[in-house]
Amino acid sequence: MPVFEYAPAPESRAIANLKDHYKPFVDGEFVDGSGEPLKTINPATEEVLAEVGTASKSDVDTAVKAARKAYNGAWSKMPGTERAKYLFRIARLIQERSRELAVLESLDNGKPIKESRDSDIPTAAAHFFYHAGWADKLEYAGYGANPRPLGVAGQIIPWNFPLLMLAWKIAPALATGNTVVLKPAETTPLTALVFAEICQQAELPPGVVNILPGAGDIGASIVEHAGIDKIAFTGSTEVGKAIQRQVAGTPKKLTLELGGKAANIVFEDAPLDQAIEGIVNGIFFNQGHVCCAGSRLLVQESIAEEVLEKLRYRVSTLRVGDPLDKNTDVGAINSAEQLAKIRGLVESGDAEGAQRWTSPCPVPERGFFFAPTVFANVHQSMRIAREEIFGPVLSVLTFRTPDEAVAKANNTPYGLSAGIWTEKGSRILWMANQLRAGVVWANTFNRFDPAAPFGGYQESGFGREGGRTGLEAYLSV
Amino acid sequence: MRISVAKTYKLYIGGKFPRSESGRVYPVTDAKGKFLANAAHASRKDVRDAVVAARKAFPGWSGATAYNRGQVLYRVAEVLEGRRDQFIAEVSASEGLAAKKAESLVDAAIDRWVWYAGWTDKIASVLGSANPVAGPYFSFTVPEPTGVVGILAPQGSSLLGLVEVLAPVLATGSTAVVVSSAERPLPAITLSEVLATSDVPGGVANILTGRASELGPWLASHGDVNALDPTGAAPAERVELAREAANTVKRVLTVPAAEPDWTSAPDLTRLRRYLEAKTVWHPLGV
């Protein structure tokens, strides 16, 4: 069969309107943060994209005061019907600027443009649309007659879905009448600051949304600030635990969306071609930088060889490279630090005796890239089966019976997501019942929607985002 | 003159009534200081045994039909009603209340138990949802029990408070390890006897008599406890308990500094706290 090479199909980066300098957004204005400016880089090329002003502790204080003033003033007194219109405006503006945001996101984060364009940005807009409609219907949400906002929400988001995580945090907070101080991740602050422009365009009252770029210490300052009523954090379990400890004994309400080590379980009667696509999507989507990634593949023993063979073939067709190329399947690893973490864990897999297979695909010489990797002969005790790798690395284990699949799937302190592949409906429902995870995807994987609650069990955190359930995180109930 | 039979009570773990592993007991007195009985003084090992029992009971209890759980919990209320006079006497003695006041508290506790029993087969339809997602998928969300819940029962309200912290845990399908009020444990001990002689499977509710300050840290740090209710801990101790609990990302109930008025009408708050939301997705197609 002849092989048809792809011609490069790069998206123009001009539409990103990349600026040399970005600034923190406080009280409706872009301000010179008094923190040390940081340089954000393009992980695909290692070139500096822009200089970003960061916040200091005193900026956190200023932002919290601005948010409090906005909360006491315009925002909490405004009727829900009016708040709703602001959220609708924001949603529309995100749609209108979606190409710009998608390209900027791919530049800053390293994710393939087809994912930022088709998934991240449209879903971010959808979150504002969805929550806009809640703003004037909160008394119907099932939390009593007069659900009240909490006040000022401090929100800390990760680098894997910069704008989408912002939307998950800000949309429900504003819909329920809270004001926010949000810290984007150190390595991916750009789209959050364009979002700040969108807030200006939407004429959102000053102080309702404040965006403070910075490192972990600024996150910590937000967490400990006495003027904050609620902390919402998405990120690593380690940091989540530290935040839970820090918040202990304060009146702050806390929700945590932490790590995962999802089992993706394939039974012998599964629709195999669909399952292979689902497995690939489950672990290689967004370079595996997904807290709910299907990083532990559990295959029924009778089909393990066949699945591995099909999987290796399929994975070898994934194109790794320029995130802005529309044909790219796997983009760049977000940072040198993350690349080093992935390498370290992969080495532990080698050392502990798992059988490594790496896609023979070409990998760019510059930039942070990691070729898709599949480990076979993985045992439950290995680090690659227990720890979150947060990269394009899949660990394959086997099982014989549904009970064994459940036992192995649940053998983790995490409980964020799980996948089930089988044609048998009753088995899907039984498995879905048994699995201790906040989201269960059956014959599909990595589906998200603002109307569907998302969140974890046990060490994957508490609280939900999305749906009626997600409103609870921002209401005094 | 008749000499009364002085009682030495035991713990309630896994459906059985063992002595404390430590062999310790402590005297229980009424509100005026008159000796009532000896209660077992639970130890760290007793906490661990109780957690093991609660974990073992969890699959069966959480897997039971909601209808069945409702029937079992209603049966508890029936047996509670049958022991009404004993509870009134014990609440009256423990809390130093006039019989009339104790009677109304006991009645409220029984009624509260019935209220929670009725929630077992309704909570999923109230808190669950069919999610109208923008794609060809069937998506729904169901509440599921959190798991093993460690409860430091209120120190003041010996029965009504105890019921208010325990019943919602059991109604939602979680299992419980409870440390009773230290100074007022008799209603908790009698409730153990009620649970043992109704249809609640052994291990679903485990009741330890002892000190919250001693046992709380072990519950908070235990890796197999999923949630913690620190109501009965001294306010000064709660911060440390919450910090311990963070090591396993336990759900820690937010409780008011002072013991609330348990006679005020309950709402869904405590039921909601012991539930996880699970969202399930499946493609639509033919």
Side-chain angles (χ1 to χ4, degrees), chain A residues 152-306:
Chain A
V152 178
Q155 307 182 315
I156 298 157
I157 59 170
W159 47 261
N160 57 343
F161 293 93
L163 189 73
L164 184 58
M165 290 300 104
L166 174 148
W168 281 29
K169 294 281 179 289
I170 292 185
L174 297 195
T176 45
N178 301 275
T179 57
V180 309
V181 175
L182 177 137
K183 187 191 91 65
E186 194 178 0
T187 59
T188 56
L190 297 187
T191 47
L193 296 169
V194 174
F195 177 81
E197 288 176 23
I198 288 175
C199 291
Q200 284 184 328
Q201 269 181 291
E203 295 169 331
L204 195 68
V208 172
V209 168
N210 303 275
I211 311 249
L212 301 180
D217 58 324
I218 294 307
S221 302
I222 292 173
V223 171
E224 73 189 14
H225 197 288
I228 295 238
D229 303 292
K230 189 245 157 46
I231 300 290
F233 172 76
T234 294
S236 73
T237 294
E238 185 195 347
V239 175
K241 287 178 180 179
I243 290 174
Q244 193 183 353
R245 272 194 292 272
Q246 205 178 346
V247 169
T250 72
K252 289 172 189 152
K253 192 165 170 174
L254 176 67
T255 47
L256 298 172
E257 296 284 358
L258 310 178
K261 192 72 189 172
N264 203 0
I265 303 162
V266 183
F267 286 93
E268 59 186 4
D269 69 341
L272 266 198
D273 291 334
Q274 290 167 42
I276 296 295
E277 288 307 306
I279 294 162
V280 168
N281 176 256
I283 184 64
F284 299 116
F285 178 68
N286 204 39
Q287 298 73 247
H289 301 330
V290 185
C291 51
C292 52
S295 55
R296 279 186 302 155
L297 179 63
L298 296 179
V299 189
Q300 201 155 21
E301 203 174 85
S302 50
I303 55 160
E305 278 311 309
E306 190 187 353

Side-chain angles (χ1 to χ4, degrees), chain B residues 4 15 17 32 34 43 53 80 82 95 102 119-120 134 144 148 150 158 164-165 170 174 214 217 224 250 260:
Chain B
S4 67
F17 291 92
K32 292 191 184 119
K34 184 174 147 267
S43 68
L80 271 170
E95 302 183 24
W119 267 116
T120 60
E144 289 195 342
V148 173
S158 59
E164 182 61 38
V165 297
L170 303 189
S174 285
E214 181 188 345
D224 213 18
K250 274 188 189 64

